[in-house]
Short mmCIF file of all heavy atoms in Angstrom, two decimals:
data_model
loop_
_atom_site.label_atom_id
_atom_site.label_comp_id
_atom_site.label_asym_id
_atom_site.label_seq_id
_atom_site.Cartn_x
_atom_site.Cartn_y
_atom_site.Cartn_z
N ALA J 81 -4.21 0.57 -7.31
CA ALA J 81 -5.19 -0.13 -8.14
C ALA J 81 -6.00 0.83 -9.00
O ALA J 81 -6.31 0.52 -10.15
CB ALA J 81 -6.13 -0.94 -7.25
N ILE J 82 -6.32 2.01 -8.47
CA ILE J 82 -7.17 2.96 -9.20
C ILE J 82 -6.32 3.86 -10.08
O ILE J 82 -6.61 4.06 -11.26
CB ILE J 82 -8.01 3.81 -8.22
CG1 ILE J 82 -8.91 2.90 -7.38
CG2 ILE J 82 -8.85 4.83 -8.98
CD1 ILE J 82 -9.54 3.58 -6.18
N GLY J 83 -5.29 4.46 -9.47
CA GLY J 83 -4.32 5.24 -10.22
C GLY J 83 -4.76 6.60 -10.74
O GLY J 83 -4.03 7.21 -11.49
N SER J 84 -5.91 7.09 -10.35
CA SER J 84 -6.35 8.39 -10.87
C SER J 84 -5.86 9.54 -9.98
O SER J 84 -5.47 9.34 -8.84
CB SER J 84 -7.88 8.43 -10.94
OG SER J 84 -8.44 8.49 -9.64
N ASP J 85 -5.93 10.75 -10.53
CA ASP J 85 -5.56 11.94 -9.75
C ASP J 85 -6.51 12.11 -8.57
O ASP J 85 -6.09 12.50 -7.49
CB ASP J 85 -5.60 13.19 -10.63
CG ASP J 85 -4.48 13.21 -11.67
OD1 ASP J 85 -3.50 12.45 -11.51
OD2 ASP J 85 -4.60 13.97 -12.65
N GLU J 86 -7.79 11.82 -8.79
CA GLU J 86 -8.77 11.94 -7.71
C GLU J 86 -8.46 10.95 -6.59
O GLU J 86 -8.53 11.30 -5.40
CB GLU J 86 -10.18 11.70 -8.26
CG GLU J 86 -11.28 12.00 -7.25
CD GLU J 86 -12.67 11.85 -7.84
OE1 GLU J 86 -12.80 11.48 -9.03
OE2 GLU J 86 -13.62 12.08 -7.09
N ALA J 87 -8.09 9.73 -6.93
CA ALA J 87 -7.72 8.74 -5.93
C ALA J 87 -6.47 9.18 -5.17
O ALA J 87 -6.39 9.02 -3.95
CB ALA J 87 -7.49 7.38 -6.58
N GLN J 88 -5.51 9.76 -5.88
CA GLN J 88 -4.30 10.24 -5.23
C GLN J 88 -4.62 11.33 -4.22
O GLN J 88 -4.11 11.31 -3.10
CB GLN J 88 -3.31 10.76 -6.27
CG GLN J 88 -2.01 11.24 -5.65
CD GLN J 88 -1.02 11.75 -6.69
OE1 GLN J 88 -1.38 12.03 -7.83
NE2 GLN J 88 0.23 11.86 -6.30
N ALA J 89 -5.49 12.26 -4.59
CA ALA J 89 -5.87 13.35 -3.68
C ALA J 89 -6.62 12.80 -2.46
O ALA J 89 -6.36 13.23 -1.33
CB ALA J 89 -6.72 14.38 -4.41
N LEU J 90 -7.54 11.87 -2.69
CA LEU J 90 -8.28 11.27 -1.57
C LEU J 90 -7.35 10.52 -0.63
O LEU J 90 -7.47 10.64 0.60
CB LEU J 90 -9.35 10.31 -2.09
CG LEU J 90 -10.64 10.91 -2.60
CD1 LEU J 90 -11.50 9.84 -3.26
CD2 LEU J 90 -11.40 11.58 -1.48
N CYS J 91 -6.42 9.76 -1.19
CA CYS J 91 -5.48 8.99 -0.36
C CYS J 91 -4.58 9.91 0.45
O CYS J 91 -4.32 9.66 1.63
CB CYS J 91 -4.66 8.04 -1.22
SG CYS J 91 -5.64 6.66 -1.87
N ALA J 92 -4.11 10.99 -0.16
CA ALA J 92 -3.27 11.95 0.57
C ALA J 92 -4.03 12.57 1.72
O ALA J 92 -3.51 12.69 2.85
CB ALA J 92 -2.75 13.02 -0.38
N GLU J 93 -5.29 12.95 1.46
CA GLU J 93 -6.10 13.55 2.52
C GLU J 93 -6.42 12.52 3.59
O GLU J 93 -6.40 12.83 4.79
CB GLU J 93 -7.38 14.14 1.93
CG GLU J 93 -8.12 15.01 2.92
CD GLU J 93 -9.30 15.74 2.31
OE1 GLU J 93 -9.46 15.74 1.07
OE2 GLU J 93 -10.07 16.31 3.09
N LEU J 94 -6.69 11.29 3.19
CA LEU J 94 -6.97 10.21 4.13
C LEU J 94 -5.78 9.98 5.06
O LEU J 94 -5.93 9.88 6.28
CB LEU J 94 -7.31 8.93 3.36
CG LEU J 94 -7.42 7.64 4.15
CD1 LEU J 94 -8.51 7.73 5.21
CD2 LEU J 94 -7.70 6.47 3.22
N ILE J 95 -4.59 9.94 4.49
CA ILE J 95 -3.38 9.75 5.30
C ILE J 95 -3.21 10.90 6.29
O ILE J 95 -2.86 10.67 7.45
CB ILE J 95 -2.15 9.58 4.38
CG1 ILE J 95 -2.25 8.23 3.65
CG2 ILE J 95 -0.85 9.69 5.15
CD1 ILE J 95 -1.30 8.08 2.48
N ASP J 96 -3.49 12.13 5.85
CA ASP J 96 -3.41 13.28 6.76
C ASP J 96 -4.41 13.14 7.91
O ASP J 96 -4.07 13.41 9.06
CB ASP J 96 -3.69 14.59 6.01
CG ASP J 96 -2.56 15.00 5.09
OD1 ASP J 96 -1.44 14.45 5.22
OD2 ASP J 96 -2.80 15.87 4.22
N ARG J 97 -5.65 12.74 7.61
CA ARG J 97 -6.67 12.62 8.66
C ARG J 97 -6.29 11.53 9.66
O ARG J 97 -6.49 11.69 10.86
CB ARG J 97 -8.05 12.32 8.07
CG ARG J 97 -8.67 13.41 7.24
CD ARG J 97 -8.78 14.75 7.97
NE ARG J 97 -8.83 15.81 7.00
CZ ARG J 97 -7.78 16.49 6.53
NH1 ARG J 97 -6.57 16.22 6.96
NH2 ARG J 97 -7.91 17.44 5.64
N VAL J 98 -5.75 10.42 9.18
CA VAL J 98 -5.32 9.35 10.08
C VAL J 98 -4.19 9.86 10.97
O VAL J 98 -4.21 9.64 12.18
CB VAL J 98 -4.90 8.09 9.29
CG1 VAL J 98 -4.22 7.07 10.19
CG2 VAL J 98 -6.11 7.46 8.60
N ALA J 99 -3.23 10.56 10.39
CA ALA J 99 -2.11 11.10 11.18
C ALA J 99 -2.59 12.08 12.24
O ALA J 99 -2.03 12.15 13.33
CB ALA J 99 -1.09 11.76 10.26
N GLU J 100 -3.64 12.84 11.92
CA GLU J 100 -4.19 13.83 12.86
C GLU J 100 -5.19 13.21 13.83
O GLU J 100 -5.77 13.92 14.65
CB GLU J 100 -4.91 14.94 12.08
CG GLU J 100 -4.01 15.73 11.17
CD GLU J 100 -4.79 16.54 10.13
OE1 GLU J 100 -6.03 16.38 10.00
OE2 GLU J 100 -4.13 17.33 9.43
N GLN J 101 -5.42 11.90 13.72
CA GLN J 101 -6.41 11.19 14.54
C GLN J 101 -7.83 11.73 14.34
O GLN J 101 -8.66 11.68 15.23
CB GLN J 101 -6.03 11.24 16.03
CG GLN J 101 -4.75 10.52 16.36
CD GLN J 101 -4.89 9.02 16.11
OE1 GLN J 101 -5.76 8.38 16.67
NE2 GLN J 101 -4.05 8.47 15.25
N ARG J 102 -8.11 12.22 13.15
CA ARG J 102 -9.46 12.67 12.78
C ARG J 102 -10.10 11.53 11.99
O ARG J 102 -10.30 11.61 10.79
CB ARG J 102 -9.37 13.97 12.01
CG ARG J 102 -8.84 15.11 12.90
CD ARG J 102 -8.59 16.39 12.18
NE ARG J 102 -9.75 16.82 11.41
CZ ARG J 102 -9.69 17.76 10.47
NH1 ARG J 102 -8.54 18.35 10.20
NH2 ARG J 102 -10.77 18.12 9.81
N LEU J 103 -10.39 10.47 12.72
CA LEU J 103 -10.76 9.21 12.10
C LEU J 103 -12.17 9.20 11.55
O LEU J 103 -12.44 8.51 10.56
CB LEU J 103 -10.53 8.06 13.09
CG LEU J 103 -9.05 7.93 13.49
CD1 LEU J 103 -8.91 7.04 14.71
CD2 LEU J 103 -8.23 7.40 12.33
N TYR J 104 -13.08 9.94 12.14
CA TYR J 104 -14.45 9.98 11.59
C TYR J 104 -14.41 10.62 10.20
O TYR J 104 -15.07 10.14 9.28
CB TYR J 104 -15.40 10.73 12.53
CG TYR J 104 -16.84 10.55 12.13
CD1 TYR J 104 -17.51 9.39 12.47
CD2 TYR J 104 -17.50 11.52 11.39
CE1 TYR J 104 -18.83 9.20 12.08
CE2 TYR J 104 -18.82 11.35 11.01
CZ TYR J 104 -19.48 10.18 11.36
OH TYR J 104 -20.78 9.99 10.96
N GLN J 105 -13.61 11.69 10.05
CA GLN J 105 -13.46 12.32 8.74
C GLN J 105 -12.76 11.35 7.77
O GLN J 105 -13.08 11.31 6.58
CB GLN J 105 -12.67 13.62 8.83
CG GLN J 105 -13.41 14.73 9.53
CD GLN J 105 -13.19 14.72 11.04
OE1 GLN J 105 -12.56 13.83 11.60
NE2 GLN J 105 -13.74 15.71 11.71
N ALA J 106 -11.81 10.56 8.28
CA ALA J 106 -11.13 9.58 7.44
C ALA J 106 -12.11 8.54 6.89
O ALA J 106 -11.98 8.10 5.75
CB ALA J 106 -10.02 8.89 8.23
N LEU J 107 -13.12 8.19 7.68
CA LEU J 107 -14.13 7.24 7.22
C LEU J 107 -14.88 7.79 6.00
O LEU J 107 -15.16 7.06 5.06
CB LEU J 107 -15.11 6.90 8.34
CG LEU J 107 -14.54 6.03 9.47
CD1 LEU J 107 -15.52 5.94 10.62
CD2 LEU J 107 -14.16 4.66 8.95
N GLY J 108 -15.20 9.07 6.03
CA GLY J 108 -15.87 9.69 4.88
C GLY J 108 -15.00 9.65 3.64
O GLY J 108 -15.49 9.40 2.53
N LEU J 109 -13.72 9.88 3.81
CA LEU J 109 -12.80 9.81 2.67
C LEU J 109 -12.70 8.38 2.15
O LEU J 109 -12.61 8.16 0.94
CB LEU J 109 -11.42 10.34 3.08
CG LEU J 109 -11.40 11.84 3.42
CD1 LEU J 109 -10.10 12.20 4.14
CD2 LEU J 109 -11.59 12.67 2.17
N CYS J 110 -12.72 7.42 3.06
CA CYS J 110 -12.70 6.02 2.63
C CYS J 110 -13.94 5.68 1.81
O CYS J 110 -13.85 4.96 0.82
CB CYS J 110 -12.61 5.09 3.84
SG CYS J 110 -11.00 5.03 4.62
N ARG J 111 -15.10 6.20 2.23
CA ARG J 111 -16.33 5.94 1.46
C ARG J 111 -16.19 6.50 0.03
O ARG J 111 -16.60 5.85 -0.94
CB ARG J 111 -17.55 6.53 2.17
CG ARG J 111 -18.03 5.67 3.33
CD ARG J 111 -19.37 6.14 3.87
NE ARG J 111 -19.28 7.39 4.60
CZ ARG J 111 -18.96 7.50 5.88
NH1 ARG J 111 -18.69 6.44 6.59
NH2 ARG J 111 -18.92 8.68 6.46
N ALA J 112 -15.60 7.68 -0.09
CA ALA J 112 -15.38 8.26 -1.43
C ALA J 112 -14.40 7.40 -2.23
O ALA J 112 -14.58 7.19 -3.43
CB ALA J 112 -14.87 9.69 -1.30
N LEU J 113 -13.38 6.89 -1.56
CA LEU J 113 -12.40 6.03 -2.22
C LEU J 113 -13.04 4.71 -2.67
O LEU J 113 -12.76 4.21 -3.75
CB LEU J 113 -11.23 5.76 -1.27
CG LEU J 113 -9.96 5.18 -1.86
CD1 LEU J 113 -9.40 6.06 -2.97
CD2 LEU J 113 -8.92 5.00 -0.77
N ILE J 114 -13.95 4.18 -1.86
CA ILE J 114 -14.68 2.97 -2.24
C ILE J 114 -15.51 3.22 -3.49
O ILE J 114 -15.54 2.37 -4.41
CB ILE J 114 -15.57 2.48 -1.07
CG1 ILE J 114 -14.68 1.90 0.05
CG2 ILE J 114 -16.59 1.44 -1.54
CD1 ILE J 114 -15.42 1.64 1.36
N ARG J 115 -16.17 4.38 -3.56
CA ARG J 115 -16.95 4.70 -4.77
C ARG J 115 -16.05 4.75 -6.00
O ARG J 115 -16.41 4.22 -7.06
CB ARG J 115 -17.71 6.02 -4.59
CG ARG J 115 -18.95 5.91 -3.72
CD ARG J 115 -19.79 7.15 -3.74
NE ARG J 115 -19.14 8.32 -3.17
CZ ARG J 115 -19.10 8.60 -1.86
NH1 ARG J 115 -19.66 7.79 -0.99
NH2 ARG J 115 -18.50 9.68 -1.44
N LEU J 116 -14.89 5.39 -5.87
CA LEU J 116 -13.95 5.44 -7.00
C LEU J 116 -13.49 4.05 -7.39
O LEU J 116 -13.40 3.72 -8.58
CB LEU J 116 -12.72 6.27 -6.62
CG LEU J 116 -12.76 7.76 -6.79
CD1 LEU J 116 -11.43 8.37 -6.40
CD2 LEU J 116 -13.10 8.14 -8.22
N GLU J 117 -13.19 3.25 -6.40
CA GLU J 117 -12.73 1.89 -6.65
C GLU J 117 -13.82 1.08 -7.36
O GLU J 117 -13.54 0.36 -8.33
CB GLU J 117 -12.37 1.24 -5.31
CG GLU J 117 -11.72 -0.11 -5.40
CD GLU J 117 -11.37 -0.62 -4.03
OE1 GLU J 117 -12.30 -0.80 -3.19
OE2 GLU J 117 -10.17 -0.84 -3.77
N ASP J 118 -15.07 1.23 -6.91
CA ASP J 118 -16.18 0.52 -7.54
C ASP J 118 -16.35 0.94 -8.99
O ASP J 118 -16.66 0.12 -9.86
CB ASP J 118 -17.49 0.75 -6.78
CG ASP J 118 -17.55 0.01 -5.45
OD1 ASP J 118 -16.69 -0.89 -5.23
OD2 ASP J 118 -18.42 0.34 -4.64
N GLU J 119 -16.16 2.22 -9.28
CA GLU J 119 -16.25 2.72 -10.66
C GLU J 119 -15.10 2.20 -11.50
O GLU J 119 -15.27 1.94 -12.70
CB GLU J 119 -16.25 4.25 -10.68
CG GLU J 119 -17.49 4.88 -10.08
CD GLU J 119 -17.36 6.37 -9.86
OE1 GLU J 119 -16.32 6.96 -10.24
OE2 GLU J 119 -18.29 6.96 -9.29
N ALA J 120 -13.93 2.03 -10.90
CA ALA J 120 -12.75 1.61 -11.64
C ALA J 120 -12.73 0.12 -11.93
O ALA J 120 -12.14 -0.31 -12.92
CB ALA J 120 -11.48 2.00 -10.88
N VAL J 121 -13.39 -0.67 -11.09
CA VAL J 121 -13.33 -2.13 -11.25
C VAL J 121 -13.83 -2.57 -12.63
O VAL J 121 -13.14 -3.34 -13.30
CB VAL J 121 -14.09 -2.84 -10.10
CG1 VAL J 121 -14.31 -4.32 -10.41
CG2 VAL J 121 -13.31 -2.68 -8.82
N PRO J 122 -15.00 -2.13 -13.11
CA PRO J 122 -15.40 -2.55 -14.47
C PRO J 122 -14.40 -2.10 -15.54
O PRO J 122 -14.14 -2.83 -16.48
CB PRO J 122 -16.76 -1.88 -14.67
CG PRO J 122 -17.26 -1.55 -13.32
CD PRO J 122 -16.02 -1.35 -12.47
N LEU J 123 -13.83 -0.92 -15.34
CA LEU J 123 -12.85 -0.43 -16.30
C LEU J 123 -11.58 -1.28 -16.28
O LEU J 123 -11.01 -1.59 -17.32
CB LEU J 123 -12.50 1.03 -16.00
CG LEU J 123 -13.64 2.04 -16.13
CD1 LEU J 123 -13.19 3.41 -15.70
CD2 LEU J 123 -14.17 2.06 -17.56
N LEU J 124 -11.15 -1.69 -15.09
CA LEU J 124 -9.96 -2.53 -14.98
C LEU J 124 -10.20 -3.88 -15.63
O LEU J 124 -9.31 -4.45 -16.26
CB LEU J 124 -9.57 -2.69 -13.51
CG LEU J 124 -9.07 -1.43 -12.81
CD1 LEU J 124 -8.86 -1.70 -11.32
CD2 LEU J 124 -7.79 -0.93 -13.44
N ALA J 125 -11.40 -4.43 -15.49
CA ALA J 125 -11.71 -5.73 -16.08
C ALA J 125 -11.66 -5.65 -17.61
O ALA J 125 -11.17 -6.57 -18.27
CB ALA J 125 -13.08 -6.21 -15.62
N VAL J 126 -12.13 -4.53 -18.19
CA VAL J 126 -12.12 -4.35 -19.63
C VAL J 126 -10.68 -4.24 -20.13
O VAL J 126 -10.31 -4.83 -21.15
CB VAL J 126 -12.94 -3.10 -20.04
CG1 VAL J 126 -12.71 -2.75 -21.50
CG2 VAL J 126 -14.40 -3.33 -19.75
N VAL J 127 -9.83 -3.51 -19.40
CA VAL J 127 -8.44 -3.34 -19.81
C VAL J 127 -7.70 -4.67 -19.78
O VAL J 127 -6.87 -4.94 -20.63
CB VAL J 127 -7.75 -2.30 -18.89
CG1 VAL J 127 -6.26 -2.27 -19.12
CG2 VAL J 127 -8.36 -0.93 -19.09
#
């Protein structure tokens, strides 16, 4: 949905943290991903 390089990096790191069972750190990455998603939503609506 977001498609940015920053989102790709966050998602890759998030997947790594989940695989390593470092879930508290994964939550922080999810919060960053939510911020990116919130910023992208108005842009997606305009497009």
Side-chain angles (χ1 to χ4, degrees):
I82 300 167
S84 71
D85 290 343
E86 188 176 1
Q88 181 179 17
L90 281 171
C91 289
E93 192 172 350
L94 171 60
I95 291 166
D96 288 345
R97 294 305 156 268
V98 170
E100 298 164 351
Q101 295 295 302
R102 294 174 53 195
L103 298 166
Y104 192 79
Q105 291 88 355
L107 289 171
L109 295 166
C110 286
R111 282 190 288 275
L113 194 57
I114 289 168
R115 283 190 295 277
L116 275 182
E117 187 178 61
D118 287 347
E119 292 169 4
V121 167
L123 297 175
L124 292 174
V126 169
V127 170

